[in-house]
Amino acid sequence: TKEKQELSVLHLNIWMEGTVVKNGFEAVADEVARIDPDIVMFSEASNKEDALFVPRMLDALRERGKIYYGQGSSLDVALLSKYPILEQTENIPHKDRVLRTRLDVNGKQVVAYTGHLDYTHYACYLPRGYSGVTWKKLETPVTDKAEIEKANNKSLRDESIRLVIEDATKSDADFVILGGDFNEPSHRDWIEKNKNLYDHNGFVVPWTVTTLLEEAGFIDSYRKIYPNPLTHPGFTYPSDNLAKTPEKITWAPKADERDRIDFIFYKGKGLKAKKAVLFGPKESIVRSQRVKETSKDKFIVPLDVWPTDHKGLLVTFICK
């Protein structure tokens, strides 16, 4: 039989390199060292004040006894890996914050895309009564589905993801993994059964990015393992953070704005998602209040300081 091996991948938006929370950068290093994933994907990992994020994080992890490879980029995404990096390119036109990394994972070629997609035209706020451009409260929620979809497609997210799909299609890699903060929910999460929950306001929305990815043969690891968004909503944003008051975390203070916007997708024969767990506090922010999640989602909760306003996602794959 062919040798099976595990590959663990963590995606985490670290909220301005962990600088928003006191000791946030150190907390990122502490938590990554504790979880010890094979591949780490970061969003919001740009180089503040010309201090290069990746070399600093590699040093911080080395101090904690963990050896990773990584290269700095001018984007606000980064990838660290325990496996050698063969090449890394800032994937696609300048508007697309997507980093492409080719890795050698025990002889298998893996292409990993790390993305932080356009945060403007955040259309999932429209049915909740907020603008997705100014983030101000609207007089009334938007109640026209066509208008929500049109607003969503004004973002550059669909362009970015089409380019990733096109790039991945040309790739000769054994496995393709895409992780990121998509700044857009999943079409599998805004469905008939929950249209009156989480301020969806009766809407079923076929969100573009996840739809395009699925049509191209990519698999959403979280929904593959937990297909039911009622029992396992998998919310990654907005996560509670005890170091901040709720109003510093919310963008829609009077709404239930919880959504799953951080994802790990994959593609490739012989790659299978085996385990998926949310990484972060069990609490979320709902209408400016800290609320404990009562779902069946599994969590790895932080030991101490939590550096961000998102929850991360840790997925363990079996590769053969």
Side-chain angles (χ1 to χ4, degrees):
T1 57
K2 275 191 182 168
E3 195 79 355
K4 277 187 192 174
Q5 69 163 63
E6 290 196 346
L7 180 70
S8 55
V9 181
L10 171 68
H11 171 266
L12 182 63
N13 176 315
I14 52 172
W15 209 7
M16 318 281 274
E17 308 75 57
T19 60
V20 178
V21 173
K22 193 181 172 198
N23 297 330
F25 180 88
E26 298 301 323
V28 172
D30 286 342
E31 290 291 355
V32 169
R34 174 170 78 104
I35 298 239
D36 201 24
D38 298 315
I39 295 172
V40 189
M41 298 177 169
F42 289 128
S43 290
E44 294 202 27
S46 51
N47 310 305
K48 284 268 171 282
E49 285 130 31
D50 294 330
L52 292 172
F53 174 81
V54 169
R56 282 172 61 221
M57 186 51 70
L58 293 176
D59 286 347
L61 288 166
R62 200 172 293 118
E63 282 164 19
R64 291 158 174 79
K66 303 294 176 186
I67 304 300
Y68 282 89
Y69 300 97
Q71 299 171 5
S73 83
S74 66
L75 303 174
D76 82 335
V77 288
L79 180 138
L80 309 181
S81 164
K82 289 188 174 179
Y83 294 98
I85 291 176
L86 304 176
E87 68 165 333
Q88 199 168 62
T89 43
E90 297 185 9
N91 184 32
I92 318 183
H94 57 275
K95 278 290 189 195
D96 307 312
R97 294 176 291 184
V98 180
L99 189 64
R100 176 181 56 201
T101 310
R102 188 181 275 272
L103 302 164
D104 179 343
V105 177
N106 294 339
K108 293 276 187 196
Q109 294 274 315
V110 176
V111 168
Y113 296 92
T114 311
H116 184 200
L117 305 186
D118 186 0
Y119 68 95
T120 62
H121 303 284
Y122 194 70
C124 60
Y125 273 5
L126 296 173
R128 292 169 166 140
Y130 283 82
S131 162
V133 177
T134 65
W135 293 279
K136 290 193 168 79
K137 199 166 187 325
L138 304 171
E139 285 191 3
T140 54
V142 173
T143 53
D144 177 359
K145 189 172 157 189
E147 204 178 319
I148 294 168
E149 289 180 30
K150 188 177 158 198
N152 190 54
N153 290 334
K154 278 188 181 157
S155 81
L156 293 163
R157 293 184 288 271
D158 51 334
E159 284 92 333
S160 294
I161 231 62
R162 282 179 210 277
L163 289 164
V164 169
I165 289 166
E166 187 188 327
D167 196 68
T169 307
K170 293 188 294 215
S171 165
D172 57 354
D174 296 299
F175 306 135
V176 176
I177 298 172
L178 160 67
D181 170 359
F182 287 5
N183 278 310
E184 184 176 308
S186 166
H187 67 294
R188 296 212 167 268
D189 294 352
W190 283 58
I191 60 171
E192 193 63 39
K193 282 184 176 156
N194 65 12
K195 69 180 183 187
N196 297 313
L197 298 176
Y198 324 123
D199 289 352
H200 290 186
N201 229 333
F203 283 102
V204 174
V205 183
W207 296 105
T208 310
V209 166
T210 54
T211 302
L212 288 171
L213 284 167
E214 271 194 17
E215 284 169 355
F218 279 83
I219 299 168
D220 173 347
S221 57
Y222 202 78
R223 279 287 162 259
K224 179 73 179 168
I225 294 172
Y226 302 116
N228 185 349
L230 292 167
T231 56
H232 295 79
F235 299 132
T236 61
Y237 182 83
S239 174
D240 189 17
N241 188 319
L242 290 176
K244 293 281 163 192
T245 56
E247 57 273 14
K248 288 276 194 289
I249 300 172
T250 177
W251 287 82
K254 294 192 169 156
D256 182 346
E257 66 201 290
R258 287 175 296 172
D259 260 311
R260 189 171 66 101
I261 60 172
D262 298 83
F263 298 89
I264 295 175
F265 275 77
Y266 65 99
K267 189 177 180 176
K269 212 172 158 213
L271 188 66
K272 207 168 151 201
K274 172 189 157 188
K275 211 161 73 186
V277 56
L278 296 173
F279 173 38
K282 267 194 168 166
E283 295 74 27
S284 300
I285 302 299
V286 181
R287 301 188 218 291
S288 305
Q289 302 290 316
R290 304 185 199 276
V291 170
K292 187 167 183 171
E293 293 296 348
T294 55
S295 64
K296 291 188 176 166
D297 295 305
K298 292 187 171 72
F299 289 84
I300 297 174
V301 295
L303 279 186
D304 189 13
V305 174
W306 184 240
T308 169
D309 55 347
H310 283 246
K311 298 181 206 303
L313 176 60
L314 177 69
V315 177
T316 306
F317 292 100
I318 298 279
C319 346
K320 56 178 189 197

